[in-house]
Amino acid sequence: MLMDVVEMLSQTREGWLGRISHRLARGAGVRESFLEQLNQLYDAFQHAVESGDPTWLEPTLNSWVKSLTQSELTDEDSGLVAILNEILILTYQYLEETLAAEKSNVVMNALLPNFTYAIEYTSRQETQARIDHISKELQIAQKTLERLDKSKSDFISVAAHELKTPLTLLDGYTSMLRDLFPKDDEMSQAVLLLKGIDNGTRRLREIVDDMIDVSLIDNNLLALNFQPIWLNQVLEALCEELDTTINNRQLSLDIKEFPGLHEMTFGDPERLYQAFRNLLTNAIKYTPDNGVITVDGKVLPGFIKVKIKDTGIGIDSEDHTRIFQKFGQLGNISLHSSGKTKFKGGGPGLGLPITKGIIEAHGGSIWVESEGYDEEIFPGSTFHVMLPIRKSPPDEKTTALYKSIVETEL
Ligand code: ADP
């Protein structure tokens, strides 16, 4: 019986090949190479039927999967499973037409389990090939993104350093010009104009410094100068600096007496001042007049947790991560209005990435909580900062420098 089937398969071979290749392959060139592949498939089917082992089909199917083109791998509808299904239907029709009903049934029954195996096997292999292809594409996209991010970071760093030279020139010439006027001539037109230039260059210098900080953070080059610090001192100094702005905007800044406020910890005072300054100036910028900004906190095991809460416009939950990325300012850039403290006076979008970089360099973390962005009900935002409590600086040299303080704290 088995020999009959094998015999019948040999007899129908030429006709089958002709039918299938004619139906499935268009164009003489395509048909020729397809014929070769069909020949291999037919051989494999014969071996599988003869031995009762469908794994004979695997090498041919593997070579088919391997030869899938890029577009076939990305297009879910075109694939080998569809072709195998068509071959199955055409085979059935062909056998029905050329063999007597009984014989065609016998051959079809012998072929069917092998077709099922071939389709299942190909489906698995094809899916794996698609996954491999997509992962490769993803890796390429990831590399391109990394390269783009690197060139963005390189650009920021080069631009910042290039801008420093003309800034220094501007500073120098303005101060020489100022020296040409008598010291008590505060109100003359020229002196007032010079003040305007001064303000402009100062703001420009701040932006350039921010750009340099961002590129230091991007390249893990932010060096901290650890010293004993007390948060109350940092916050008091900030209150003093921001007092006029807070009054001008009729805001209130309430710093609560929280556990940890007077606790000594090692950190970089200038950098922490900069980080909290960014958070407070943002709270000022994004809170309308008459709003309230509250600083509160608590001590958690190993950490001081500080909370900066405002009654401002709030931030949509989908932007809670984005605002910590460089140039992550929200809204329409073309409507961007620059200003350090005026309501919604956006900056270049570098403040929060720098703040995050500084806090993380200290071993801490920062995140935001807000019910969403709404300029009518003002849901407000709360920025949380976790700052590790360090009783000694991380390096031996600084520990030796602050030996007496470290010993009294231990
Ligand atoms: P910018 O220089 O634009 O202020 P930041 O990096 O400091 O840049 O902040 C990024 C963006 O996050 C801001 O443009 C603003 O949309 C949003 N943001 C930051 N702080 C607040 C806040 N307290 N309330 C509402 N939105 C905020």
Side-chain angles (χ1 to χ4, degrees), residues 282-283 285-286 310 313-315 323 328-330 346-353 381 383:
N282 275 350
K285 272 197 301 191
Y286 300 103
D310 63 51
I313 57 176
I315 303 163
I323 53 169
Q329 70 269 72
L330 311 173
L350 298 176
L352 285 179
S381 313
F383 282 81

Side-chain angles (χ1 to χ4, degrees), residues 252-297:
S252 76
L253 173 59
D254 181 14
I255 299 184
K256 305 267 185 213
E257 267 300 316
F258 59 86
L261 184 65
H262 300 275
E263 175 136 4
M264 191 281 286
T265 172
F266 272 85
D268 184 324
E270 275 179 35
R271 288 299 186 183
L272 285 175
Y273 185 88
Q274 185 184 5
F276 283 106
R277 186 172 183 272
N278 283 340
L279 293 175
L280 284 176
T281 43
N282 275 350
I284 293 172
K285 272 197 301 191
Y286 300 103
T287 301
D289 293 4
N290 299 311
V292 181
I293 299 160
T294 321
V295 182
D296 202 352

Side-chain angles (χ1 to χ4, degrees), residues 60-80:
T60 311
L61 296 173
N62 283 341
S63 78
W64 282 30
V65 172
K66 253 195 213 134
S67 64
L68 280 170
T69 61
Q70 275 226 5
S71 63
E72 283 163 340
L73 281 170
T74 35
D75 178 8
E76 296 245 346
D77 294 332
S78 78
L80 293 175

Side-chain angles (χ1 to χ4, degrees), residues 229-266:
I229 58 143
W230 290 263
L231 275 179
N232 66 315
Q233 288 183 358
V234 175
L235 293 171
E236 270 162 30
L238 270 169
C239 274
E240 221 165 278
E241 183 193 326
L242 299 172
D243 193 45
T244 322
T245 317
I246 300 251
N247 286 335
N248 288 346
R249 294 272 323 279
Q250 284 138 31
L251 297 165
S252 76
L253 173 59
D254 181 14
I255 299 184
K256 305 267 185 213
E257 267 300 316
F258 59 86
L261 184 65
H262 300 275
E263 175 136 4
M264 191 281 286
T265 172
F266 272 85

Side-chain angles (χ1 to χ4, degrees), residues 1 4-9 11-12 92 94-111:
M1 181 75 157
D4 283 353
V5 176
V6 175
E7 182 59 34
M8 277 187 276
L9 278 174
Q11 284 169 15
T12 47
Y92 180 75
Y94 178 73
L95 291 177
E96 254 202 336
E97 283 167 28
T98 46
L99 295 178
E102 201 186 318
K103 281 186 177 173
S104 122
N105 274 347
V106 173
V107 178
M108 213 47 220
N109 281 345
L111 283 177

